[in-house]
mmCIF file of all heavy atoms in Angstrom:
data_model
loop_
_atom_site.group_PDB
_atom_site.id
_atom_site.type_symbol
_atom_site.label_atom_id
_atom_site.label_comp_id
_atom_site.label_asym_id
_atom_site.label_seq_id
_atom_site.Cartn_x
_atom_site.Cartn_y
_atom_site.Cartn_z
ATOM 1 N N SER A 28 -38.332 -13.406 37.641
ATOM 2 C CA SER A 28 -38.406 -12.052 38.200
ATOM 3 C C SER A 28 -39.746 -11.897 38.913
ATOM 4 O O SER A 28 -40.769 -12.389 38.437
ATOM 5 C CB SER A 28 -38.320 -11.003 37.090
ATOM 6 O OG SER A 28 -37.105 -11.117 36.418
ATOM 7 N N PRO A 45 -48.511 -33.716 51.190
ATOM 8 C CA PRO A 45 -49.289 -34.783 50.562
ATOM 9 C C PRO A 45 -49.784 -34.416 49.162
ATOM 10 O O PRO A 45 -49.808 -35.265 48.265
ATOM 11 C CB PRO A 45 -50.455 -34.981 51.537
ATOM 12 C CG PRO A 45 -49.900 -34.592 52.869
ATOM 13 C CD PRO A 45 -48.958 -33.456 52.590
ATOM 14 N N TYR A 60 -48.215 -31.057 31.383
ATOM 15 C CA TYR A 60 -46.827 -31.363 31.750
ATOM 16 C C TYR A 60 -45.900 -30.718 30.731
ATOM 17 O O TYR A 60 -46.324 -30.453 29.607
ATOM 18 C CB TYR A 60 -46.624 -32.887 31.766
ATOM 19 C CG TYR A 60 -47.422 -33.594 32.824
ATOM 20 C CD1 TYR A 60 -48.732 -34.022 32.563
ATOM 21 C CD2 TYR A 60 -46.897 -33.821 34.090
ATOM 22 C CE1 TYR A 60 -49.474 -34.666 33.529
ATOM 23 C CE2 TYR A 60 -47.643 -34.470 35.063
ATOM 24 C CZ TYR A 60 -48.938 -34.891 34.786
ATOM 25 O OH TYR A 60 -49.678 -35.529 35.753
ATOM 26 N N GLY A 65 -44.380 -28.366 44.444
ATOM 27 C CA GLY A 65 -43.762 -27.761 45.626
ATOM 28 C C GLY A 65 -44.444 -26.478 46.064
ATOM 29 O O GLY A 65 -44.683 -25.582 45.247
ATOM 30 N N VAL A 72 -34.597 -13.396 50.652
ATOM 31 C CA VAL A 72 -35.186 -12.578 49.585
ATOM 32 C C VAL A 72 -34.079 -12.104 48.642
ATOM 33 O O VAL A 72 -33.071 -11.525 49.061
ATOM 34 C CB VAL A 72 -35.936 -11.357 50.174
ATOM 35 C CG1 VAL A 72 -36.389 -10.422 49.059
ATOM 36 C CG2 VAL A 72 -37.118 -11.822 51.010
ATOM 37 N N GLN A 127 -36.644 -25.493 59.733
ATOM 38 C CA GLN A 127 -37.841 -25.351 60.576
ATOM 39 C C GLN A 127 -38.915 -24.543 59.846
ATOM 40 O O GLN A 127 -40.096 -24.915 59.823
ATOM 41 C CB GLN A 127 -37.498 -24.638 61.891
ATOM 42 C CG GLN A 127 -36.679 -25.452 62.867
ATOM 43 C CD GLN A 127 -36.321 -24.616 64.092
ATOM 44 O OE1 GLN A 127 -35.811 -23.502 63.985
ATOM 45 N NE2 GLN A 127 -36.599 -25.163 65.263
ATOM 46 N N VAL A 135 -49.811 -23.646 57.732
ATOM 47 C CA VAL A 135 -50.410 -22.415 58.266
ATOM 48 C C VAL A 135 -51.460 -21.862 57.310
ATOM 49 O O VAL A 135 -52.533 -21.412 57.734
ATOM 50 C CB VAL A 135 -49.304 -21.368 58.558
ATOM 51 C CG1 VAL A 135 -49.920 -20.036 58.963
ATOM 52 C CG2 VAL A 135 -48.360 -21.868 59.649
ATOM 53 N N SER A 154 -52.582 -10.794 71.842
ATOM 54 C CA SER A 154 -52.577 -9.836 72.950
ATOM 55 C C SER A 154 -51.131 -9.535 73.314
ATOM 56 O O SER A 154 -50.229 -10.307 73.011
ATOM 57 C CB SER A 154 -53.305 -10.433 74.146
ATOM 58 O OG SER A 154 -52.524 -11.477 74.685
ATOM 59 N N THR A 188 -53.226 -25.993 62.979
ATOM 60 C CA THR A 188 -54.606 -25.642 63.340
ATOM 61 C C THR A 188 -54.744 -25.495 64.849
ATOM 62 O O THR A 188 -55.411 -24.576 65.333
ATOM 63 C CB THR A 188 -55.585 -26.712 62.811
ATOM 64 O OG1 THR A 188 -55.401 -26.849 61.408
ATOM 65 C CG2 THR A 188 -57.027 -26.316 63.086
ATOM 66 N N VAL A 199 -58.814 -26.306 72.652
ATOM 67 C CA VAL A 199 -58.632 -27.366 71.660
ATOM 68 C C VAL A 199 -58.705 -28.748 72.307
ATOM 69 O O VAL A 199 -58.048 -29.018 73.309
ATOM 70 C CB VAL A 199 -57.267 -27.205 70.951
ATOM 71 C CG1 VAL A 199 -57.034 -28.364 69.980
ATOM 72 C CG2 VAL A 199 -57.205 -25.873 70.209
ATOM 73 N N ASP A 313 -57.627 -20.934 48.337
ATOM 74 C CA ASP A 313 -58.340 -19.653 48.416
ATOM 75 C C ASP A 313 -57.432 -18.549 48.962
ATOM 76 O O ASP A 313 -57.619 -17.378 48.641
ATOM 77 C CB ASP A 313 -59.573 -19.776 49.320
ATOM 78 C CG ASP A 313 -60.685 -20.587 48.665
ATOM 79 O OD1 ASP A 313 -60.578 -20.870 47.456
ATOM 80 O OD2 ASP A 313 -61.648 -20.945 49.376
ATOM 81 N N ARG A 324 -53.065 -11.301 56.660
ATOM 82 C CA ARG A 324 -53.242 -11.057 58.103
ATOM 83 C C ARG A 324 -52.355 -12.012 58.913
ATOM 84 O O ARG A 324 -51.673 -11.599 59.846
ATOM 85 C CB ARG A 324 -54.724 -11.267 58.469
ATOM 86 C CG ARG A 324 -55.045 -10.954 59.895
ATOM 87 C CD ARG A 324 -55.280 -9.468 60.096
ATOM 88 N NE ARG A 324 -55.506 -9.172 61.494
ATOM 89 C CZ ARG A 324 -54.550 -8.669 62.283
ATOM 90 N NH1 ARG A 324 -53.366 -8.378 61.812
ATOM 91 N NH2 ARG A 324 -54.806 -8.418 63.552
ATOM 92 N N VAL A 346 -34.715 -33.821 57.766
ATOM 93 C CA VAL A 346 -34.011 -33.489 56.527
ATOM 94 C C VAL A 346 -33.729 -34.762 55.735
ATOM 95 O O VAL A 346 -33.170 -35.728 56.253
ATOM 96 C CB VAL A 346 -32.696 -32.731 56.834
ATOM 97 C CG1 VAL A 346 -31.911 -32.483 55.541
ATOM 98 C CG2 VAL A 346 -33.001 -31.405 57.524
ATOM 99 N N GLY A 367 -45.953 -37.125 62.728
ATOM 100 C CA GLY A 367 -45.517 -36.014 63.566
ATOM 101 C C GLY A 367 -44.265 -35.308 63.101
ATOM 102 O O GLY A 367 -43.555 -34.725 63.930
#
Side-chain angles (χ1 to χ4, degrees):
S28 299
Y60 295 88
V72 173
Q127 289 176 309
V135 174
S154 70
T188 304
V199 176
D313 288 349
R324 184 83 184 101
V346 176

